[in-house]
Amino acid sequence: MSTTTNDAVITTDADRAIHIERVFDAPLDRVWAAYSRIELLAQWWGRGNQLDIERWEFRKGGHYRFVEHSDGETHGFEGRFREVTPKERIVQSFEWDGMPAHVAIDTTTFVDLGDGRTKVVTDSQFHTPEERDGMLQSGMESGLNESYRALDALLAESA
Amino acid sequence: MSTTTNDAVITTDADRAIHIERVFDAPLDRVWAAYSRIELLAQWWGRGNQLDIERWEFRKGGHYRFVEHSDGETHGFEGRFREVTPKERIVQSFEWDGMPAHVAIDTTTFVDLGDGRTKVVTDSQFHTPEERDGMLQSGMESGLNESYRALDALLAESA
């Protein structure tokens, strides 16, 4: 079975959190590269839309800012890195310009499944249950799955 | 009794929050000016220390960044405004460079006491109880009271 049609598994056990798991058909090194090298990240994060990278300081304390162009609109996203542990974990804040200073903390963990596949686990923690619910209702799930399918395609290319 | 020796009243009823109340001997207009005009804010926020204003966009979605110089050290603080309602309320994110992406949301409310005095109420909400407790243990209370006494002095000057 191809993972290109797999959807991410999204669960919401805690009232301010979203837990996401997705398996990719590529070894850890290549998945890590797709998250940590901006020229690769820019190819999938925006779901195939044009993504302007206004800031990218991939280290503890560094900032990032992306502007996605889609359907004639622009959407800015930004945050700061709390932790960057290569091939293991990225912890970063995340906010969308449309709701400034509504900040989620995303912890992305990379798990080598040992058979050339890699599981990416993302835990998002919001300040309030309302912010979490707003994110779930924003079309986040379909956007996320589009991004992950773009990542599948990128990983297949670079295989 | 002069308010210049008053300490802020700090309470912690909720496990991720800090509630602060402080009364100033000045009318609402002048207290609001001291929070909203950067040339005034710069005179008290840093407790009398040199404060470099690297960014100040005082509007919804705008960013701010200050660097305080004290005892030969520099400390950066930054965030973004969620809401600016003149003479009523400011909601903003807040983080210190020493703990990047550990973000508090501060809601500052201005209350006209009607007798030439103004109460400023600040509610800080943290992502976790541990972050709240860390802030309480960081010397925040004494720093805050130093800032408020510097604001007392500024308000007395401009009276």
Side-chain angles (χ1 to χ4, degrees):
Chain A
M1 194 177 83
S2 164
T3 59
T4 58
T5 55
N6 276 357
D7 282 341
V9 176
I10 299 180
T11 51
T12 55
D13 291 343
D15 70 352
R16 295 190 285 127
I18 300 174
H19 179 88
I20 302 165
E21 301 201 355
R22 176 64 147 79
V23 173
F24 295 93
D25 259 338
L28 175 61
D29 282 3
R30 284 202 286 120
V31 175
W32 174 257
Y35 273 82
S36 59
R37 289 173 51 190
I38 189 58
E39 73 278 14
L40 297 179
L41 186 72
Q43 292 180 50
W44 67 269
W45 197 92
R47 307 171 290 145
N49 294 316
Q50 183 193 334
L51 195 70
D52 296 339
I53 309 300
E54 294 192 349
R55 202 166 181 185
W56 179 254
E57 303 156 351
F58 189 60
R59 59 172 189 275
K60 180 180 177 180
H63 298 76
Y64 69 93
R65 180 172 168 80
F66 307 149
V67 178
E68 182 183 346
H69 298 259
S70 64
D71 302 327
E73 294 188 341
T74 59
H75 291 284
F77 301 91
E78 62 179 52
R80 196 171 188 186
F81 295 103
R82 183 189 290 191
E83 176 185 339
V84 174
T85 302
K87 302 181 190 178
E88 287 186 21
R89 192 168 46 249
I90 302 168
V91 186
Q92 68 202 100
S93 58
F94 173 84
E95 62 185 281
W96 166 53
D97 283 357
M99 292 184 63
H102 292 263
V103 184
I105 302 298
D106 293 343
T107 300
T108 306
T109 307
F110 299 82
V111 182
D112 185 349
L113 296 182
D115 55 359
R117 296 186 309 152
T118 303
K119 182 159 72 174
V120 176
V121 180
T122 304
D123 286 288
S124 295
Q125 188 177 32
F126 297 81
H127 259 91
T128 66
E130 293 72 24
E131 289 176 338
R132 192 278 306 267
D133 294 343
M135 175 64 88
L136 289 172
Q137 290 155 15
S138 73
M140 162 239 174
E141 184 168 355
S142 64
L144 182 71
N145 279 311
E146 285 173 31
S147 289
Y148 284 163
R149 284 192 289 272
L151 177 51
D152 283 328
L154 177 69
L155 292 167
E157 269 179 39
S158 63
Chain B
M1 194 180 82
S2 163
T3 58
T4 58
T5 55
N6 276 358
D7 282 340
V9 176
I10 300 179
T11 51
T12 54
D13 292 342
D15 70 353
R16 295 189 286 128
I18 301 174
H19 179 88
I20 302 165
E21 301 201 356
R22 177 62 147 78
V23 174
F24 295 93
D25 259 338
L28 175 60
D29 283 2
R30 284 202 286 118
V31 175
W32 174 257
Y35 274 82
S36 59
R37 290 173 50 190
I38 189 59
E39 72 279 14
L40 297 178
L41 186 72
Q43 291 179 50
W44 66 269
W45 196 93
R47 306 171 291 145
N49 294 317
Q50 184 194 332
L51 195 70
D52 296 339
I53 310 299
E54 294 192 348
R55 201 166 182 184
W56 179 253
E57 303 155 352
F58 189 60
R59 60 174 187 273
K60 179 180 177 179
H63 298 77
Y64 69 93
R65 180 171 169 80
F66 307 149
V67 178
E68 182 183 348
H69 298 259
S70 65
D71 303 325
E73 294 187 343
T74 59
H75 291 285
F77 301 91
E78 63 179 49
R80 196 171 189 187
F81 295 103
R82 182 188 294 190
E83 176 185 339
V84 174
T85 301
K87 301 180 188 176
E88 286 185 22
R89 191 169 46 249
I90 303 168
V91 186
Q92 69 203 98
S93 59
F94 173 84
E95 62 184 281
W96 166 53
D97 283 356
M99 290 183 65
H102 292 264
V103 184
I105 302 298
D106 293 344
T107 299
T108 307
T109 307
F110 299 82
V111 182
D112 184 349
L113 297 181
D115 56 357
R117 295 185 310 153
T118 303
K119 182 159 73 174
V120 177
V121 180
T122 304
D123 286 288
S124 296
Q125 188 177 31
F126 297 81
H127 259 91
T128 65
E130 293 72 25
E131 289 177 338
R132 192 278 306 268
D133 294 344
M135 175 64 88
L136 289 170
Q137 290 156 12
S138 72
M140 161 237 172
E141 183 167 357
S142 64
L144 181 71
N145 280 311
E146 287 173 29
S147 289
Y148 283 163
R149 284 192 288 273
L151 176 51
D152 281 330
L154 177 68
L155 292 166
E157 268 177 39
S158 63

